[in-house]
Amino acid sequence: MKIIVTNNLEELSLQAANLIIEQIKTKPNSVLGLPTGHTPLIMYQKLVQAYVTGQVSFAQVKTFNLDEYVGLPRTSPDSFYTYMRQNFFDHVDAKPENIFVLDGTAENLADECANYERELENYGGMDLAILGIGQDGHIGFCEPGTSWQSRTMVVTLDQTTLEANAKDLANSSVMPKEAITMGLGTIMEARQIILLASGESKREIVNKALKGEASEAVPASILQTHDNVTIILDKEASGQ
Ligand code: PGA
């Protein structure tokens, strides 16, 4: 596990974007696992800048988002689909047919999960998954107690997640209580993983996930058992 401590979120984002660009330069049709949330926002800006200035093309890249709320249509301002379009996809040359985001309004969510796994497998699995971390240690929406073998599934969100994420919702929206997420088993099959954490509110859980016992109680601690993980922190998250 490689740990990079940066001075601030700006530097963290640049480092993450550079690692993604490097991956795409090595393999233009890379399969990426992508996160949402506050932490990767500037990273996406850096990727857009790199595209606009001709440093990278996403034309052959396949993207699989980690998770999505159950019950929100894609057109909702709060869906992760909308987040991805607004912050990334609409500003780069990623092809719609190469973009995969779980549909939390699918009539049969079990089929939606199984199809997502199948699509991912068809493309040979993820070359690189970029992850955030929740204050409860979740990655994707795999909350504490999630099996390490889990595959893409429907989950009930923990209270800490509901509270953290409800703050971001548009006034008109009701916070979804469930989500659909890649499982820990799915995420761990990525050949390379980058985890991003920024801010003091993540310090305690980052410390537990990286230095504590690896256990299902702290989902992100599973990364201790992956052989190609880079953790990028800012000073506040690292405690240095
Ligand atoms: P955040 O979310 O980047 O908004 O803190 C991270 C997560 O919940 O995975």
Side-chain angles (χ1 to χ4, degrees), residues 36-40 131-135 138-141 161 165 168 202:
T36 49
H38 290 279
T39 315
L131 312 174
I133 180 170
Q135 283 177 40
H138 70 215
I139 49 179
F141 269 138
T161 304
N165 291 24
D168 299 331
K202 300 288 171 70

Side-chain angles (χ1 to χ4, degrees), residues 17-199:
N18 284 342
L19 288 176
I20 296 168
I21 293 166
E22 216 172 276
Q23 168 64 40
I24 296 170
K25 287 198 167 143
T26 309
K27 184 182 171 196
N29 62 346
S30 287
V31 180
L32 304 181
L34 295 180
T36 49
H38 290 279
T39 315
L41 280 170
I42 300 177
M43 176 192 84
Y44 286 125
Q45 285 172 19
K46 303 277 177 207
L47 289 175
V48 170
Q49 273 166 21
Y51 163 70
V52 169
T53 55
Q55 295 169 60
V56 69
S57 165
F58 299 92
Q60 296 181 59
V61 171
K62 325 283 177 225
T63 66
F64 285 79
N65 266 81
L66 296 170
D67 47 19
E68 177 60 283
Y69 289 126
V70 166
L72 290 189
R74 294 195 149 170
T75 49
S76 162
D78 299 310
S79 73
F80 290 166
Y81 182 82
T82 297
Y83 170 107
M84 288 306 297
R85 285 197 60 170
Q86 286 179 346
N87 293 298
F88 185 49
F89 295 140
D90 284 356
H91 313 291
V92 297
D93 60 346
K95 298 219 172 79
E97 63 269 28
N98 291 337
I99 292 171
F100 297 85
V101 182
L102 285 154
D103 180 359
T105 62
E107 214 166 284
N108 186 326
L109 291 173
D111 283 353
E112 178 67 12
C113 295
N115 291 339
Y116 209 64
E117 287 278 338
R118 206 168 308 121
E119 291 282 13
L120 191 50
E121 200 184 319
N122 284 345
Y123 285 113
M126 291 179 282
D127 293 294
L128 170 61
I130 300 101
L131 312 174
I133 180 170
Q135 283 177 40
D136 62 358
H138 70 215
I139 49 179
F141 269 138
C142 297
E143 301 283 26
T146 301
S147 157
W148 280 16
Q149 277 76 45
S150 52
R151 312 301 305 187
T152 302
M153 65 193 158
V154 176
V155 295
T156 301
L157 298 173
D158 274 13
Q159 193 56 33
T160 43
T161 304
L162 293 173
E163 281 164 20
N165 291 24
K167 292 189 202 119
D168 299 331
L169 292 201
N171 290 339
S172 54
S173 304
V174 176
M175 179 65 201
K177 302 260 183 314
E178 287 183 323
I180 184 167
T181 181
M182 281 187 200
L184 292 175
T186 317
I187 293 170
M188 285 294 282
E189 282 171 12
R191 287 177 279 284
Q192 186 188 351
I193 294 178
I194 298 174
L195 179 129
L196 311 175
S198 163

Side-chain angles (χ1 to χ4, degrees), residues 195-238:
L195 179 129
L196 311 175
S198 163
E200 211 182 318
S201 67
K202 300 288 171 70
R203 184 183 296 171
E204 193 181 329
I205 194 66
V206 162
N207 194 44
K208 265 195 203 158
L210 305 187
K211 305 208 179 112
E213 186 200 344
S215 88
E216 287 180 358
V218 181
S221 68
I222 193 175
L223 300 177
Q224 293 179 25
T225 67
H226 192 285
D227 62 10
N228 191 357
V229 179
T230 305
I231 312 285
I232 312 182
L233 308 172
D234 61 11
K235 270 199 262 180
E236 285 76 20
S238 78

